[in-house]
Amino acid sequence: MKAIIKDQNDTMCRYEDAIYMQSGNVFLIEGELDIGYKVYENVNIEDLIESEPDGWTHIYFDVSFENSQYIAYCGETGYGGAGFVVLFNKSNRLYEWLIHISNCNNLHTIKIIDENIIVNSDEPYPDGTIFTIPIKNPEKFKIQNKYNT
């Protein structure tokens, strides 16, 4: 996946708020925890890299959950308050997709339930936000918190 760079000491991802697909397709997203998020543009990863070659941030794999088919990870990035979720396919050994959101704060739990990945953030405090991400269509993810139940 071209949205993730790994070497022996570091892992980085693109810093745009987006859903990065294994195919190179990128769904740019906008929004906030209190109003929700939406896809506003569909671009190619090559175009993003060409227009902003330095647009990378460190990622830290804090929590994971594994089933027979996938490993789902979440964590934080080098930018304060930013988080990511990434899905790794165990059978083909590829990252299926990665979601980067700059204003989701601390993503601290993750699990796979049926065909969804469920991720919890601690923002807004104290109740947090639940992200429900369809494995096959991550661009259709939903959030639930005290602002939009």
Side-chain angles (χ1 to χ4, degrees):
M1 171 181 280
K2 293 183 179 181
I4 298 176
I5 297 174
K6 291 181 91 168
D7 65 27
Q8 61 252 40
N9 299 320
D10 210 2
T11 304
M12 300 179 80
C13 77
R14 293 297 302 176
Y15 72 178
E16 296 88 1
D17 285 351
I19 303 163
Y20 301 90
M21 305 299 292
Q22 173 60 37
S23 66
N25 193 30
V26 179
F27 299 100
L28 297 175
I29 56 178
E30 62 186 359
E32 300 284 337
L33 287 174
D34 58 346
I35 60 171
Y37 297 91
K38 67 177 182 174
V39 172
Y40 72 91
E41 190 173 354
N42 188 347
V43 299
N44 187 285
I45 187 68
E46 299 291 341
D47 295 334
L48 284 180
I49 293 170
E50 184 177 321
S51 68
E52 185 62 48
D54 296 326
W56 299 91
T57 183
H58 298 276
I59 58 175
Y60 307 99
F61 292 83
D62 295 333
V63 183
S64 66
F65 187 92
E66 185 172 348
N67 70 10
S68 62
Q69 204 170 3
Y70 300 107
I71 305 173
Y73 300 94
C74 68
E76 59 185 322
T77 75
Y79 292 111
F84 74 93
V85 179
V86 65
L87 182 67
F88 180 78
N89 186 319
K90 292 165 65 173
S91 64
N92 64 16
R93 305 200 41 81
L94 295 173
Y95 290 107
E96 295 290 323
W97 49 258
L98 177 139
I99 299 175
H100 176 267
I101 300 176
S102 61
N103 59 8
C104 67
N105 214 15
N106 182 22
L107 298 175
H108 56 80
T109 60
I110 190 166
K111 51 189 156 177
I112 301 171
I113 299 175
D114 300 323
E115 294 298 314
N116 293 300
I117 295 177
I118 310 298
V119 183
N120 293 300
S121 168
D122 63 1
E123 192 64 37
Y125 184 80
D127 301 318
T129 297
I130 300 169
F131 291 79
T132 302
I133 308 165
I135 289 173
K136 299 293 184 191
N137 298 99
E139 70 280 7
K140 296 181 178 178
F141 77 95
K142 304 282 186 223
I143 65 168
Q144 181 181 356
N145 58 34
K146 68 180 181 181
Y147 299 115
N148 52 18
T149 54

